[in-house]
PDB file of all heavy atoms in Angstrom:
ATOM      1  N   TYR L   1      96.725-134.301 115.159  1.00 96.00           N
ATOM      2  CA  TYR L   1      97.615-135.472 115.146  1.00 96.00           C
ATOM      3  C   TYR L   1      98.874-135.117 114.377  1.00 96.00           C
ATOM      4  O   TYR L   1      98.987-134.060 113.760  1.00 96.00           O
ATOM      5  CB  TYR L   1      96.919-136.628 114.461  1.00 96.00           C
ATOM      6  CG  TYR L   1      96.485-136.404 113.060  1.00 96.00           C
ATOM      7  CD1 TYR L   1      97.316-136.734 112.004  1.00 96.00           C
ATOM      8  CD2 TYR L   1      95.235-135.827 112.811  1.00 96.00           C
ATOM      9  CE1 TYR L   1      96.905-136.444 110.705  1.00 96.00           C
ATOM     10  CE2 TYR L   1      94.857-135.584 111.527  1.00 96.00           C
ATOM     11  CZ  TYR L   1      95.694-135.905 110.468  1.00 96.00           C
ATOM     12  OH  TYR L   1      95.253-135.664 109.194  1.00 96.00           O
ATOM     13  N   VAL L   2      99.861-135.946 114.490  1.00 95.00           N
ATOM     14  CA  VAL L   2     101.160-135.806 113.859  1.00 95.00           C
ATOM     15  C   VAL L   2     101.329-136.892 112.807  1.00 95.00           C
ATOM     16  O   VAL L   2     100.987-138.053 113.049  1.00 95.00           O
ATOM     17  CB  VAL L   2     102.283-135.855 114.896  1.00 95.00           C
ATOM     18  CG1 VAL L   2     103.639-135.854 114.257  1.00 95.00           C
ATOM     19  CG2 VAL L   2     102.138-134.733 115.877  1.00 95.00           C
ATOM     20  N   THR L   3     101.888-136.487 111.638  1.00 93.00           N
ATOM     21  CA  THR L   3     102.283-137.524 110.650  1.00 93.00           C
ATOM     22  C   THR L   3     103.812-137.436 110.502  1.00 93.00           C
ATOM     23  O   THR L   3     104.377-136.364 110.482  1.00 93.00           O
ATOM     24  CB  THR L   3     101.649-137.319 109.274  1.00 93.00           C
ATOM     25  OG1 THR L   3     102.032-136.048 108.767  1.00 93.00           O
ATOM     26  CG2 THR L   3     100.155-137.392 109.369  1.00 93.00           C
ATOM     27  N   THR L   4     104.415-138.587 110.388  1.00 92.00           N
ATOM     28  CA  THR L   4     105.816-138.668 110.008  1.00 92.00           C
ATOM     29  C   THR L   4     105.850-139.423 108.693  1.00 92.00           C
ATOM     30  O   THR L   4     105.506-140.625 108.627  1.00 92.00           O
ATOM     31  CB  THR L   4     106.632-139.426 111.072  1.00 92.00           C
ATOM     32  OG1 THR L   4     106.409-138.760 112.308  1.00 92.00           O
ATOM     33  CG2 THR L   4     108.112-139.426 110.728  1.00 92.00           C
ATOM     34  N   SER L   5     106.096-138.686 107.609  1.00 92.00           N
ATOM     35  CA  SER L   5     105.991-139.229 106.286  1.00 92.00           C
ATOM     36  C   SER L   5     107.346-139.585 105.730  1.00 92.00           C
ATOM     37  O   SER L   5     108.329-138.861 105.974  1.00 92.00           O
ATOM     38  CB  SER L   5     105.330-138.192 105.337  1.00 92.00           C
ATOM     39  OG  SER L   5     104.047-137.905 105.782  1.00 92.00           O
ATOM     40  N   GLY L   6     107.333-140.638 104.907  1.00 92.00           N
ATOM     41  CA  GLY L   6     108.540-141.012 104.191  1.00 92.00           C
ATOM     42  C   GLY L   6     108.721-140.210 102.919  1.00 92.00           C
ATOM     43  O   GLY L   6     107.886-139.297 102.617  1.00 92.00           O
ATOM     44  N   ALA L   7     109.717-140.481 102.191  1.00 94.00           N
ATOM     45  CA  ALA L   7     110.030-139.787 100.948  1.00 94.00           C
ATOM     46  C   ALA L   7     108.961-140.090  99.861  1.00 94.00           C
ATOM     47  O   ALA L   7     108.365-141.167  99.900  1.00 94.00           O
ATOM     48  CB  ALA L   7     111.432-140.213 100.391  1.00 94.00           C
ATOM     49  N   SER L   8     108.751-139.152  98.982  1.00 96.00           N
ATOM     50  CA  SER L   8     107.830-139.291  97.896  1.00 96.00           C
ATOM     51  C   SER L   8     108.465-138.718  96.625  1.00 96.00           C
ATOM     52  O   SER L   8     109.318-137.831  96.660  1.00 96.00           O
ATOM     53  CB  SER L   8     106.527-138.510  98.125  1.00 96.00           C
ATOM     54  OG  SER L   8     105.886-138.973  99.254  1.00 96.00           O
ATOM     55  N   LYS L   9     108.064-139.288  95.452  1.00 97.00           N
ATOM     56  CA  LYS L   9     108.511-138.808  94.178  1.00 97.00           C
ATOM     57  C   LYS L   9     107.369-138.615  93.260  1.00 97.00           C
ATOM     58  O   LYS L   9     106.418-139.397  93.293  1.00 97.00           O
ATOM     59  CB  LYS L   9     109.502-139.797  93.527  1.00 97.00           C
ATOM     60  CG  LYS L   9     110.804-139.998  94.291  1.00 97.00           C
ATOM     61  CD  LYS L   9     111.666-141.021  93.622  1.00 97.00           C
ATOM     62  CE  LYS L   9     112.919-141.289  94.423  1.00 97.00           C
ATOM     63  NZ  LYS L   9     113.698-142.387  93.825  1.00 97.00           N
ATOM     64  N   VAL L  10     107.466-137.554  92.440  1.00 97.00           N
ATOM     65  CA  VAL L  10     106.459-137.275  91.404  1.00 97.00           C
ATOM     66  C   VAL L  10     107.158-137.513  90.065  1.00 97.00           C
ATOM     67  O   VAL L  10     108.216-136.940  89.822  1.00 97.00           O
ATOM     68  CB  VAL L  10     105.919-135.865  91.473  1.00 97.00           C
ATOM     69  CG1 VAL L  10     104.882-135.574  90.379  1.00 97.00           C
ATOM     70  CG2 VAL L  10     105.256-135.621  92.848  1.00 97.00           C
ATOM     71  N   PHE L  11     106.596-138.361  89.236  1.00 97.00           N
ATOM     72  CA  PHE L  11     107.177-138.745  87.966  1.00 97.00           C
ATOM     73  C   PHE L  11     106.365-138.074  86.822  1.00 97.00           C
ATOM     74  O   PHE L  11     105.148-138.018  86.900  1.00 97.00           O
ATOM     75  CB  PHE L  11     107.188-140.241  87.751  1.00 97.00           C
ATOM     76  CG  PHE L  11     108.000-140.994  88.793  1.00 97.00           C
ATOM     77  CD1 PHE L  11     107.410-141.475  89.947  1.00 97.00           C
ATOM     78  CD2 PHE L  11     109.311-141.250  88.565  1.00 97.00           C
ATOM     79  CE1 PHE L  11     108.129-142.157  90.886  1.00 97.00           C
ATOM     80  CE2 PHE L  11     110.089-141.891  89.481  1.00 97.00           C
ATOM     81  CZ  PHE L  11     109.477-142.375  90.661  1.00 97.00           C
ATOM     82  N   ASP L  12     107.075-137.685  85.779  1.00 97.00           N
ATOM     83  CA  ASP L  12     106.339-137.174  84.625  1.00 97.00           C
ATOM     84  C   ASP L  12     105.994-138.378  83.715  1.00 97.00           C
ATOM     85  O   ASP L  12     106.281-139.497  84.087  1.00 97.00           O
ATOM     86  CB  ASP L  12     107.210-136.131  83.890  1.00 97.00           C
ATOM     87  CG  ASP L  12     108.474-136.631  83.219  1.00 97.00           C
ATOM     88  OD1 ASP L  12     108.629-137.882  83.127  1.00 97.00           O
ATOM     89  OD2 ASP L  12     109.283-135.828  82.828  1.00 97.00           O
ATOM     90  N   ARG L  13     105.374-138.059  82.577  1.00 96.00           N
ATOM     91  CA  ARG L  13     104.889-139.132  81.733  1.00 96.00           C
ATOM     92  C   ARG L  13     105.998-140.044  81.154  1.00 96.00           C
ATOM     93  O   ARG L  13     105.752-141.194  80.852  1.00 96.00           O
ATOM     94  CB  ARG L  13     104.035-138.594  80.582  1.00 96.00           C
ATOM     95  CG  ARG L  13     104.825-137.904  79.506  1.00 96.00           C
ATOM     96  CD  ARG L  13     104.032-137.653  78.209  1.00 96.00           C
ATOM     97  NE  ARG L  13     102.657-137.522  78.413  1.00 96.00           N
ATOM     98  CZ  ARG L  13     101.924-136.411  78.232  1.00 96.00           C
ATOM     99  NH1 ARG L  13     102.514-135.320  77.875  1.00 96.00           N
ATOM    100  NH2 ARG L  13     100.653-136.447  78.405  1.00 96.00           N
ATOM    101  N   SER L  14     107.224-139.536  81.074  1.00 97.00           N
ATOM    102  CA  SER L  14     108.309-140.360  80.555  1.00 97.00           C
ATOM    103  C   SER L  14     108.966-141.181  81.658  1.00 97.00           C
ATOM    104  O   SER L  14     109.923-141.941  81.395  1.00 97.00           O
ATOM    105  CB  SER L  14     109.380-139.495  79.843  1.00 97.00           C
ATOM    106  OG  SER L  14     110.002-138.664  80.793  1.00 97.00           O
ATOM    107  N   GLY L  15     108.523-141.024  82.952  1.00 96.00           N
ATOM    108  CA  GLY L  15     109.085-141.794  84.033  1.00 96.00           C
ATOM    109  C   GLY L  15     110.220-141.082  84.720  1.00 96.00           C
ATOM    110  O   GLY L  15     110.810-141.623  85.663  1.00 96.00           O
ATOM    111  N   ARG L  16     110.550-139.848  84.281  1.00 97.00           N
ATOM    112  CA  ARG L  16     111.562-139.074  84.947  1.00 97.00           C
ATOM    113  C   ARG L  16     111.032-138.468  86.237  1.00 97.00           C
ATOM    114  O   ARG L  16     109.863-138.059  86.291  1.00 97.00           O
ATOM    115  CB  ARG L  16     112.075-137.944  84.065  1.00 97.00           C
ATOM    116  CG  ARG L  16     112.972-138.429  82.942  1.00 97.00           C
ATOM    117  CD  ARG L  16     113.497-137.193  82.191  1.00 97.00           C
ATOM    118  NE  ARG L  16     112.274-136.477  81.812  1.00 97.00           N
ATOM    119  CZ  ARG L  16     112.221-135.509  80.899  1.00 97.00           C
ATOM    120  NH1 ARG L  16     113.310-135.159  80.303  1.00 97.00           N
ATOM    121  NH2 ARG L  16     111.107-134.904  80.586  1.00 97.00           N
ATOM    122  N   VAL L  17     111.862-138.378  87.210  1.00 97.00           N
ATOM    123  CA  VAL L  17     111.445-137.731  88.494  1.00 97.00           C
ATOM    124  C   VAL L  17     111.346-136.254  88.281  1.00 97.00           C
ATOM    125  O   VAL L  17     112.342-135.616  87.882  1.00 97.00           O
ATOM    126  CB  VAL L  17     112.488-138.052  89.639  1.00 97.00           C
ATOM    127  CG1 VAL L  17     112.093-137.317  90.888  1.00 97.00           C
ATOM    128  CG2 VAL L  17     112.556-139.562  89.865  1.00 97.00           C
ATOM    129  N   GLU L  18     110.155-135.729  88.501  1.00 96.00           N
ATOM    130  CA  GLU L  18     109.928-134.277  88.326  1.00 96.00           C
ATOM    131  C   GLU L  18     110.137-133.528  89.651  1.00 96.00           C
ATOM    132  O   GLU L  18     110.616-132.434  89.668  1.00 96.00           O
ATOM    133  CB  GLU L  18     108.522-134.035  87.790  1.00 96.00           C
ATOM    134  CG  GLU L  18     108.305-132.572  87.520  1.00 96.00           C
ATOM    135  CD  GLU L  18     107.089-132.312  86.684  1.00 96.00           C
ATOM    136  OE1 GLU L  18     107.032-132.802  85.535  1.00 96.00           O
ATOM    137  OE2 GLU L  18     106.182-131.630  87.213  1.00 96.00           O
ATOM    138  N   ASP L  19     109.718-134.162  90.742  1.00 96.00           N
ATOM    139  CA  ASP L  19     109.851-133.572  92.064  1.00 96.00           C
ATOM    140  C   ASP L  19     110.175-134.687  93.062  1.00 96.00           C
ATOM    141  O   ASP L  19     109.695-135.822  92.946  1.00 96.00           O
ATOM    142  CB  ASP L  19     108.588-132.859  92.510  1.00 96.00           C
ATOM    143  CG  ASP L  19     108.354-131.585  91.784  1.00 96.00           C
ATOM    144  OD1 ASP L  19     109.252-130.741  91.724  1.00 96.00           O
ATOM    145  OD2 ASP L  19     107.251-131.391  91.227  1.00 96.00           O
ATOM    146  N   ARG L  20     110.978-134.359  94.071  1.00 96.00           N
ATOM    147  CA  ARG L  20     111.318-135.229  95.186  1.00 96.00           C
ATOM    148  C   ARG L  20     110.957-134.535  96.465  1.00 96.00           C
ATOM    149  O   ARG L  20     111.178-133.327  96.616  1.00 96.00           O
ATOM    150  CB  ARG L  20     112.786-135.544  95.238  1.00 96.00           C
ATOM    151  CG  ARG L  20     113.321-136.396  94.174  1.00 96.00           C
ATOM    152  CD  ARG L  20     114.849-136.543  94.396  1.00 96.00           C
ATOM    153  NE  ARG L  20     115.508-136.933  93.191  1.00 96.00           N
ATOM    154  CZ  ARG L  20     115.684-138.210  92.800  1.00 96.00           C
ATOM    155  NH1 ARG L  20     115.329-139.143  93.588  1.00 96.00           N
ATOM    156  NH2 ARG L  20     116.244-138.464  91.646  1.00 96.00           N
ATOM    157  N   TYR L  21     110.462-135.320  97.409  1.00 93.00           N
ATOM    158  CA  TYR L  21     110.141-134.804  98.734  1.00 93.00           C
ATOM    159  C   TYR L  21     110.709-135.729  99.764  1.00 93.00           C
ATOM    160  O   TYR L  21     110.461-136.940  99.691  1.00 93.00           O
ATOM    161  CB  TYR L  21     108.635-134.573  98.871  1.00 93.00           C
ATOM    162  CG  TYR L  21     108.156-133.611  97.800  1.00 93.00           C
ATOM    163  CD1 TYR L  21     107.732-134.052  96.602  1.00 93.00           C
ATOM    164  CD2 TYR L  21     108.255-132.253  98.020  1.00 93.00           C
ATOM    165  CE1 TYR L  21     107.362-133.170  95.578  1.00 93.00           C
ATOM    166  CE2 TYR L  21     107.852-131.348  97.050  1.00 93.00           C
ATOM    167  CZ  TYR L  21     107.452-131.853  95.834  1.00 93.00           C
ATOM    168  OH  TYR L  21     107.072-130.946  94.818  1.00 93.00           O
ATOM    169  N   THR L  22     111.433-135.189 100.659  1.00 93.00           N
ATOM    170  CA  THR L  22     112.129-136.044 101.687  1.00 93.00           C
ATOM    171  C   THR L  22     111.217-136.553 102.771  1.00 93.00           C
ATOM    172  O   THR L  22     111.569-137.424 103.521  1.00 93.00           O
ATOM    173  CB  THR L  22     113.311-135.288 102.311  1.00 93.00           C
ATOM    174  OG1 THR L  22     112.776-134.061 102.938  1.00 93.00           O
ATOM    175  CG2 THR L  22     114.366-134.884 101.284  1.00 93.00           C
ATOM    176  N   GLY L  23     110.043-135.928 102.846  1.00 92.00           N
ATOM    177  CA  GLY L  23     109.156-136.342 103.953  1.00 92.00           C
ATOM    178  C   GLY L  23     109.443-135.530 105.204  1.00 92.00           C
ATOM    179  O   GLY L  23     110.142-134.507 105.145  1.00 92.00           O
ATOM    180  N   GLY L  24     109.006-136.007 106.342  1.00 94.00           N
ATOM    181  CA  GLY L  24     109.241-135.339 107.566  1.00 94.00           C
ATOM    182  C   GLY L  24     108.040-135.386 108.488  1.00 94.00           C
ATOM    183  O   GLY L  24     107.107-136.158 108.220  1.00 94.00           O
ATOM    184  N   THR L  25     108.061-134.560 109.510  1.00 94.00           N
ATOM    185  CA  THR L  25     106.986-134.557 110.476  1.00 94.00           C
ATOM    186  C   THR L  25     106.158-133.312 110.304  1.00 94.00           C
ATOM    187  O   THR L  25     106.656-132.230 110.138  1.00 94.00           O
ATOM    188  CB  THR L  25     107.585-134.571 111.886  1.00 94.00           C
ATOM    189  OG1 THR L  25     108.363-135.772 112.058  1.00 94.00           O
ATOM    190  CG2 THR L  25     106.535-134.597 112.948  1.00 94.00           C
ATOM    191  N   SER L  26     104.810-133.505 110.328  1.00 93.00           N
ATOM    192  CA  SER L  26     103.879-132.406 110.226  1.00 93.00           C
ATOM    193  C   SER L  26     102.742-132.592 111.232  1.00 93.00           C
ATOM    194  O   SER L  26     102.396-133.737 111.611  1.00 93.00           O
ATOM    195  CB  SER L  26     103.229-132.366 108.813  1.00 93.00           C
ATOM    196  OG  SER L  26     104.227-132.188 107.882  1.00 93.00           O
ATOM    197  N   ARG L  27     102.131-131.536 111.660  1.00 96.00           N
ATOM    198  CA  ARG L  27     101.006-131.564 112.584  1.00 96.00           C
ATOM    199  C   ARG L  27      99.812-131.035 111.858  1.00 96.00           C
ATOM    200  O   ARG L  27      99.862-130.013 111.157  1.00 96.00           O
ATOM    201  CB  ARG L  27     101.316-130.723 113.842  1.00 96.00           C
ATOM    202  CG  ARG L  27     100.231-130.842 114.904  1.00 96.00           C
ATOM    203  CD  ARG L  27     100.776-130.336 116.257  1.00 96.00           C
ATOM    204  NE  ARG L  27      99.800-130.558 117.258  1.00 96.00           N
ATOM    205  CZ  ARG L  27      99.625-131.710 117.855  1.00 96.00           C
ATOM    206  NH1 ARG L  27     100.315-132.773 117.534  1.00 96.00           N
ATOM    207  NH2 ARG L  27      98.689-131.892 118.817  1.00 96.00           N
ATOM    208  N   PHE L  28      98.677-131.746 112.024  1.00 95.00           N
ATOM    209  CA  PHE L  28      97.431-131.378 111.337  1.00 95.00           C
ATOM    210  C   PHE L  28      96.288-131.225 112.334  1.00 95.00           C
ATOM    211  O   PHE L  28      96.304-131.860 113.384  1.00 95.00           O
ATOM    212  CB  PHE L  28      97.072-132.426 110.319  1.00 95.00           C
ATOM    213  CG  PHE L  28      97.936-132.479 109.151  1.00 95.00           C
ATOM    214  CD1 PHE L  28      99.009-133.326 109.112  1.00 95.00           C
ATOM    215  CD2 PHE L  28      97.731-131.657 108.050  1.00 95.00           C
ATOM    216  CE1 PHE L  28      99.898-133.355 108.056  1.00 95.00           C
ATOM    217  CE2 PHE L  28      98.599-131.685 106.939  1.00 95.00           C
ATOM    218  CZ  PHE L  28      99.674-132.529 106.937  1.00 95.00           C
ATOM    219  N   GLN L  29      95.314-130.406 111.939  1.00 97.00           N
ATOM    220  CA  GLN L  29      94.060-130.318 112.660  1.00 97.00           C
ATOM    221  C   GLN L  29      92.967-130.617 111.633  1.00 97.00           C
ATOM    222  O   GLN L  29      92.953-130.141 110.526  1.00 97.00           O
ATOM    223  CB  GLN L  29      93.853-128.916 113.227  1.00 97.00           C
ATOM    224  CG  GLN L  29      92.592-128.800 114.089  1.00 97.00           C
ATOM    225  CD  GLN L  29      92.441-127.458 114.670  1.00 97.00           C
ATOM    226  OE1 GLN L  29      91.897-126.528 114.035  1.00 97.00           O
ATOM    227  NE2 GLN L  29      92.902-127.278 115.918  1.00 97.00           N
TER     228      GLN L  29
END
């Protein structure tokens, strides 16, 4: 199947954004 994902953010303990991911399309088995 295919997933089309939205953006995601990973926050550290102080609430600062540690990582950002724009999302996109992926295919999985």
Side-chain angles (χ1 to χ4, degrees):
Y1 59 93
V2 173
T3 61
T4 304
S5 300
S8 298
K9 294 178 184 175
V10 178
F11 298 92
D12 67 14
R13 74 166 26 112
S14 67
R16 286 183 307 196
V17 175
E18 184 166 299
D19 288 308
R20 290 178 200 270
Y21 301 90
T22 58
T25 301
S26 300
R27 186 163 186 78
F28 291 92
Q29 186 176 84

